[in-house]
Amino acid sequence: MPVCVTISALDAGHLTLPEYLFVTDAEPGKRATVPSLAFLIQHPSSPPSRPSSSTTNIVFDLGIKRDLSGYAPSQEAHIADRQPIITDPDCATSLRKGNLEPATDVDIVILSHMHWDHVGTPSDFPSAAFVVGSGTLDMLLHGAGPLYPADIFNDDEIPASRTVDLPTVMRARGDGKYQEPRHTAATKEARERLPTAASDWAWKPLAAFPAALDFFGDGSLNVIDAPGHLYGHVNLLARVGEKRYVYLGGDCCHDPRILRGEKGIALYDDGRGGLRSVHVHTDEAQQTLDRIGEFVKLKAVEGVKDVEVEVVVAHDGEWREKNSHRFWPGTL
């Protein structure tokens, strides 16, 4: 039996999305209150910071801050347009419901990206290493172009001394305009909190994905480079059974109808005489979606065929309604 992880969903707040910003052929004026899901991933290994434990606890995404005043002032108008916002329970509260203490029991936090509804309250996790897509720390300090200026982020949002910027992904660019933030080398303190496999981390092709990183070195959890939404956006592919995988898609899309092919990615006025989507690079975001769709159809991972793949994205209200029993301490 291959090494597997267990996954539990976590309530980490809700926000309200105007449909026209996210899907094509939107119903005029329609707004939907949706979750910002987080996930607990448990791997059967002893973490370096808690050698007496036989389980490494990872949290993927942290959802919404319970105190909205903690966001950068320039985000106030944007957040106001996402009301109603529900902050209780947040990620930390959801963990405690299953008797896990964020401050002492969480070993690693992996953030899919740094948008406000995914960063949560990092100070709740003072013992954890933070793992982010390459360029994230640079983006927090310097921004990333006119759509993502530095003032929309808190430059100290995550603890730099405990944060690992994943290796840079080398990929061709078609237009020369996609200037990603620069990679930041991790500190010794951060590296010491990672699994032993981290010394060999490298991006390699996996199934339909050009770049995947084997987090524990045993195939149980792969970080998937998922470009398009925001610089450094990553997804996770977790093996939860011999032939069962869960793909955590973050913000690869914001509506399950896009995954099913019923809707497309919406374009809207960018305020500069052009059109944009909620993604920094719409074509790349669509390519990421296409790869996910191809992977689901392929049903094969590393020579194992006929695997079952479940895709869960961060704001899927339909999934949440149908899967309340799979929230921590329940499992996927």
Side-chain angles (χ1 to χ4, degrees):
M1 179 72 178
V3 178
C4 298
V5 297
T6 59
I7 303 179
S8 302
L10 299 166
D11 268 323
H14 289 68
L15 71 163
T16 302
L17 303 180
E19 191 173 273
Y20 80 95
L21 295 177
F22 297 93
V23 299
T24 52
D25 303 316
E27 183 179 330
K30 184 175 180 181
R31 297 168 62 86
T33 299
V34 298
S36 191
L37 295 170
F39 297 89
L40 171 67
I41 300 164
Q42 298 184 294
H43 182 270
S45 60
S46 295
S49 58
R50 294 186 307 119
S52 62
S53 173
S54 59
T55 302
T56 297
N57 293 321
I58 297 174
V59 175
F60 181 58
D61 278 346
L62 299 180
I64 298 171
K65 293 183 187 300
R66 60 179 170 273
D67 180 2
L68 298 182
S69 68
Y71 291 106
S74 61
Q75 284 284 70
E76 289 178 3
H78 174 84
I79 293 172
D81 191 45
R82 298 296 184 260
Q83 295 285 355
I85 293 173
I86 301 167
T87 60
D88 185 26
D90 69 344
C91 185
T93 299
S94 292
L95 286 166
R96 291 186 183 108
K97 286 182 178 178
N99 294 318
L100 273 185
E101 177 50 52
T104 55
D105 297 331
V106 173
D107 305 295
I108 299 170
V109 173
I110 303 175
L111 295 177
S112 65
H113 65 296
M114 295 304 299
H115 276 153
W116 69 278
D117 52 325
H118 294 259
V119 299
T121 308
S123 59
D124 288 337
F125 303 88
S127 299
F130 282 72
V131 175
V132 293
S134 184
T136 295
L137 288 173
D138 182 57
M139 182 178 67
L140 293 180
L141 290 172
H142 304 296
L147 295 178
Y148 298 98
D151 66 3
I152 71 170
F153 304 106
N154 293 322
D155 59 7
D156 60 350
E157 188 73 76
I158 50 179
S161 65
R162 286 186 282 119
T163 296
V164 176
D165 240 22
L166 289 171
T168 301
V169 181
M170 304 305 294
R171 47 179 174 257
R173 294 297 175 204
D175 56 16
K177 297 178 182 178
Y178 196 88
Q179 299 299 319
E180 295 198 19
R182 296 178 181 178
H183 173 74
T184 301
T187 66
K188 182 174 183 288
E189 179 186 0
R191 295 195 304 271
E192 288 176 344
R193 296 169 187 263
L194 298 176
T196 55
S199 59
D200 297 320
W201 278 355
W203 297 106
K204 299 176 181 178
L206 177 68
F209 304 108
L213 185 151
D214 190 348
F215 200 81
F216 287 100
D218 57 16
S220 64
L221 184 68
N222 275 277
V223 180
I224 306 295
D225 176 49
H229 180 59
L230 182 65
Y231 304 100
H233 186 244
V234 295
N235 293 169
L236 295 184
L237 176 64
R239 183 167 61 208
V240 295
E242 187 171 2
K243 290 194 173 188
R244 279 193 63 228
Y245 285 80
V246 174
Y247 187 94
L248 301 178
D251 273 3
C252 65
C253 68
H254 294 69
D255 191 298
R257 292 173 294 179
I258 296 176
L259 284 175
R260 297 194 294 264
E262 299 166 10
K263 298 281 187 180
I265 298 170
L267 296 175
Y268 56 90
D269 186 351
D270 67 358
R272 296 177 173 83
L275 294 174
R276 64 161 297 186
S277 74
V278 294
H279 306 291
V280 69
H281 197 289
T282 307
D283 290 343
E284 291 249 5
Q286 184 60 57
Q287 289 175 23
T288 291
L289 283 170
D290 292 344
R291 290 177 186 128
I292 295 169
E294 180 183 347
F295 173 63
V296 171
K297 292 177 183 177
L298 189 64
K299 295 184 177 180
V301 184
E302 296 183 315
V304 180
K305 298 180 179 179
D306 300 319
V307 302
E308 174 189 345
V309 181
E310 180 177 13
V311 180
V312 188
V313 294
H315 303 301
D316 190 343
E318 294 178 11
W319 187 90
R320 185 189 179 281
E321 287 182 10
K322 296 175 182 177
N323 291 279
S324 59
H325 59 292
R326 302 169 85 188
F327 282 68
W328 176 248
T331 64
L332 275 67

